[in-house]
């Protein structure tokens, strides 16, 4: 469960009050991977993906991010828990 994932990205579909992430799972990748793979590549595929190293937090991203109001919220199979 991700009840301990705190996030300040309030423009994300999965964000909720108290700065909590309500996605049932997320995946964090390096920026290069995030920029070069489509939305459907996400946490559901984590076991099949190779690690993507980063040197600083600036090189990492939450790939599960979807903008609020987007029509792409179902593209990756991730569910909002509430
Ligand atoms: S999916 Fe990622 S960006 Fe969106 S609320 Fe959760 S941790 Fe934040």
């Amino acid at each position: 469960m991700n009840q301990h994932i705190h996030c300040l990205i309030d423009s994300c579909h999965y964000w909720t009050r108290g700065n909590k992430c309500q996605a049932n799972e997320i995946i964090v990748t390096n920026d290069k991977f995030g920029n070069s793979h489509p939305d459907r590549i996400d946490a559901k595929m984590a076991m099949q993906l190779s690690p993507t190293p980063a040197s600083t937090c600036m090189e990492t991203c939450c790939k599960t991010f979807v903008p609020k109001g987007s029509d792409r919220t179902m593209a990756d199979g991730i569910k909002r828990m509430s």
Side-chain angles (χ1 to χ4, degrees):
M1 297 296 285
N2 69 353
Q3 293 168 336
H4 302 291
I5 296 178
H6 304 280
C7 181
L8 305 183
I9 313 299
D10 64 351
S11 54
C12 178
H13 170 68
Y14 298 106
W15 181 92
T16 196
R17 281 192 309 165
N19 293 320
K20 303 275 191 186
C21 175
Q22 286 291 308
N24 64 339
E25 54 187 317
I26 70 167
I27 190 166
V28 176
T29 72
N30 68 17
D31 286 348
K32 183 178 177 185
F33 184 95
N35 283 330
S36 60
H37 290 75
D39 289 349
R40 64 184 168 76
I41 309 296
D42 209 287
K44 292 288 183 203
M45 303 180 71
M47 295 293 285
Q48 305 159 48
L49 301 174
S50 299
T52 65
S55 298
T56 72
C57 63
M58 296 295 290
E59 297 174 2
T60 73
C61 70
C62 175
K63 193 168 183 325
T64 306
F65 169 83
V66 181
K68 272 183 184 163
S70 169
D71 62 0
R72 303 285 299 156
T73 57
M74 302 305 288
D76 52 17
I78 306 301
K79 292 183 172 52
R80 189 181 156 107
M81 295 189 294
S82 62

